[in-house]
Amino acid sequence: VATALTFSEARRLVIETVSSARPRPAVETLPLSEAFERILAADARADRDYPPLARSIRDGIAVRAADLPGELEIVGEIRAGQAGGISAGPRQAVEIMTGAPVPDGADTIVMIEHVTRDGNRVRTERVQQPGDFIQPAGAEARGGQVLVRCGEPLTFSRIAMLATIGCVDATVFSRPRVAILATGDEIVEIDERPEPFQVRNSNTYSLASQVRRSGGEARILPVARDEYAHTRALIELGLEADLLLLSGGVSAGKYDIVEHVLADLGAEFLITRVKIQPGQPLVFGRARGKFFFGLPGNPASTMVTFELFARAAIELLGGRNEAPLPLLFARLTSEFRHKPGLTRFLPARLHAGGFEVTPVPWTGSSDVPALARANAFLVADAERERWETGELIPVLLQ
Ligand code: AMP
Ligand code: MG
């Protein structure tokens, strides 16, 4: 059994291993309206310059800077959506609206607020430089320039970018298939009535939700009994997917047989322990050419280890270029202490608008009610013991 890694060592190992050994995913083409949050599978390039023509970024008059200040004659107007075909000669002005192409001859825009008008005469006291309030052609992008890279997730702003360049259909990577295998003799399905010594299977449901959010497609397997042949048959089935997630059965108990089964299937174990809480006995490795995670079975351990490690693996297998941990910082509303040595991920509530976070009291990693009251995990550094009220602390959103 390998030694325990620190949180950041383990994360780096997962990211490096998956990045270097992942197959290129299959691709599919979708209408742009269905491509939100998918991963773009080919560079998207500008079909023309943006903007294609120099345009005004203010309402006002288009003039020659050399004529300023002074009195000018209005010779016409140009509005957004109009093709142009008008020009401004010496001592002439063209009324112009935001977004309209700058008339030939004009080289600066004087804002409407800085102009007094009398009939077709305008006067301004402004002194301006050529180019003021004009966005030159190609200022945002040049024709042919890559605007969204292959491997980038289609956020709403990238959807806007693809719409702008007339990308009616988007070529995206197919979702990786992620098998979910819960284990444990005490686990019953959610439509069953558990005996007092049994618990309903919540991990399959939290994991399926997390898989979905990571861009994967969940393949749910039946719960494996803590028995060799049954567990082995289901693990073999799970290894047919692109990634296998197991919950439970990776601690040191007599019936924690997941690692034995995987070892018999020729698994290479890259991680067997991480200095985190919850989730210390995390297992990560590869068998039959597929990556797997053995996530500790307590619900908080399963959720946290998924977010910290499996999420990045699924994102990378889904064709993303990178898989950053989406941390933010918030101010503690109370003093906070923990025992150093492990990086802890504890339920917390991030408050609306205030950038403030409050730890949610809990009884330990089986406390789903506390997790459900929380909306985030507070991240307590393994090397620190205490934080004061008002100090910034990293927070991982649920
Ligand atoms: P294990 O990691 O197998 O030792 O499981 C630790 C504890 O997590 C068990 O005692 C169960 O109470 C709980 N647990 C394991 N699997 C699940 C599951 N699928 N859904 C809910 N709780 C679970
Ligand atoms: Mg178990």
Side-chain angles (χ1 to χ4, degrees), residues 183-187 226 247-250 255-256 297:
T183 72
D185 286 340
E186 76 281 29
I187 309 304
D226 292 323
S247 97
V250 292
Y255 297 99
D256 291 326

Side-chain angles (χ1 to χ4, degrees), residues 24-44 148-155 158-159 162 167-176 215 317-320:
R24 188 184 157 86
V27 302
E28 53 195 81
T29 298
L30 294 175
L32 186 60
S33 55
E34 288 169 29
F36 180 53
E37 292 186 328
R38 300 299 297 265
I39 312 301
L40 194 65
D43 288 347
V148 186
R149 281 189 311 137
C150 174
E152 287 185 321
L154 295 179
T155 55
R158 293 181 183 137
I159 291 283
L162 296 186
C167 178
V168 176
D169 297 302
T171 301
V172 300
F173 288 122
S174 298
R175 297 182 184 281
L317 290 170
R320 286 201 196 215

Side-chain angles (χ1 to χ4, degrees), residues 306-367:
F306 180 97
E307 287 302 300
L308 300 181
F309 305 105
R311 177 174 179 174
I314 294 169
E315 290 177 350
L316 293 169
L317 290 170
R320 286 201 196 215
N321 299 330
E322 50 186 18
L325 193 65
L327 290 177
L328 49 86
F329 281 83
R331 292 192 192 283
L332 281 163
T333 56
S334 55
E335 171 203 272
F336 176 77
R337 291 165 183 270
H338 82 142
K339 186 163 166 277
L342 301 176
T343 306
R344 288 194 171 73
F345 300 85
L346 303 171
R349 265 200 82 82
L350 191 69
H351 303 285
F355 303 106
E356 286 185 330
V357 65
T358 306
V360 169
W362 76 327
T363 60
S365 6
S366 64
D367 196 344

Side-chain angles (χ1 to χ4, degrees), residues 177-179 219 237-244 290:
R177 292 159 305 152
V178 181
R219 297 280 164 93
L237 204 56
L239 288 171
E240 288 174 14
D242 298 312
L243 177 74
L244 169 61
K290 305 293 176 57

Side-chain angles (χ1 to χ4, degrees), residues 182-183 186-187 199-203 247-249 251 256 296-299:
T183 72
E186 76 281 29
I187 309 304
V199 292
R200 291 195 185 92
N201 176 11
S202 66
N203 286 345
S247 97
S251 303
D256 291 326
N298 259 315

Side-chain angles (χ1 to χ4, degrees), residues 123-185:
R123 200 176 161 82
T124 181
E125 303 309 325
R126 303 295 289 182
V127 176
Q128 287 193 188
Q129 299 304 310
D132 286 353
F133 302 119
I134 292 174
Q135 187 182 42
E140 293 171 351
R142 289 293 184 184
Q145 186 182 329
V146 175
L147 297 173
V148 186
R149 281 189 311 137
C150 174
E152 287 185 321
L154 295 179
T155 55
F156 55 80
S157 57
R158 293 181 183 137
I159 291 283
M161 188 68 262
L162 296 186
T164 300
I165 61 174
C167 178
V168 176
D169 297 302
T171 301
V172 300
F173 288 122
S174 298
R175 297 182 184 281
R177 292 159 305 152
V178 181
I180 297 176
L181 177 53
T183 72
D185 286 340

